[in-house]
């Protein structure tokens, strides 16, 4: 990455799949063009504009489309549906439910959980509540 990129705040790098696709496509275009030149084909130069102005952008578009569709197919690793206690903590921290409702639902979710687990959930919630109060004062 050049200094001008970092100065402009452009820290995005090409994903590995895009790099591989671009490299292979460029190599293929050059092999075709210079192969035609070696075969003494008069119109070998057509491979350059067709390849670099048509084929390469098409391949890159298809790779980006594939990456976007693959990313939306995968469920999020920290999905609230995976951990109902975390979802409950978040709702409490946002103020959507009050103390009594939080305690009732927490007891319901944890059921026969150990007292240490219940106390850990309460302490984490208390920390989030204090953080929320600090941010609301600012």
């Amino acid at each position: 990455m050049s200094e001008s990129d970092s100065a402009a705040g452009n820290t995005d790098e090409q994903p590995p799949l895009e790099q591989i696709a671009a490299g292979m496509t460029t190599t293929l275009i050059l092999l075709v063009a210079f192969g035609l030149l070696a075969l003494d084909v008069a119109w070998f130069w057509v491979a350059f504009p067709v390849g670099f102005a048509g084929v390469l952008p098409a391949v890159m578009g298809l790779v980006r489309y594939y990456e976007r569709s693959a990313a939306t197919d995968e469920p999020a690793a920290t999905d609230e549906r995976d951990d109902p206690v975390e979802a409950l903590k978040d709702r409490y921290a946002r103020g959507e439910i009050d103390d009594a409702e939080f305690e009732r639902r927490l007891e319901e979710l944890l059921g026969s959980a150990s007292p240490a687990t219940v106390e850990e959930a309460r302490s984490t919630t208390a920390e989030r509540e204090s953080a929320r109060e600090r941010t609301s004062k600012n």
Side-chain angles (χ1 to χ4, degrees), residues 83-120:
D83 189 7
V85 174
E86 285 299 316
L88 183 62
K89 289 178 187 178
D90 289 340
R91 289 187 64 199
Y92 177 72
R94 288 191 304 260
E96 294 177 12
I97 57 175
D98 61 357
D99 292 337
E101 181 70 14
F102 174 76
E103 293 291 329
R104 185 186 68 76
R105 289 186 182 191
L106 185 62
E107 293 294 327
E108 195 175 286
L109 284 172
L110 297 177
S112 62
S114 67
T117 307
V118 174
E119 189 57 38
E120 180 184 323

Side-chain angles (χ1 to χ4, degrees), residues 1-56:
M1 180 169 37
S2 69
E3 290 180 25
S4 62
D5 286 343
S6 62
N10 185 6
T11 59
D12 295 334
E13 292 184 14
Q14 261 187 329
L17 184 59
E18 286 184 27
Q19 291 176 349
I20 292 168
M24 290 180 69
T25 305
T26 301
T27 302
L28 183 64
I29 293 167
L30 292 173
L31 283 173
V32 168
F34 289 120
L36 291 172
L37 177 64
L39 293 173
D40 202 27
V41 176
W43 47 269
F44 76 94
W45 59 271
V46 173
F48 291 109
V50 168
F52 289 116
V55 176
L56 184 61

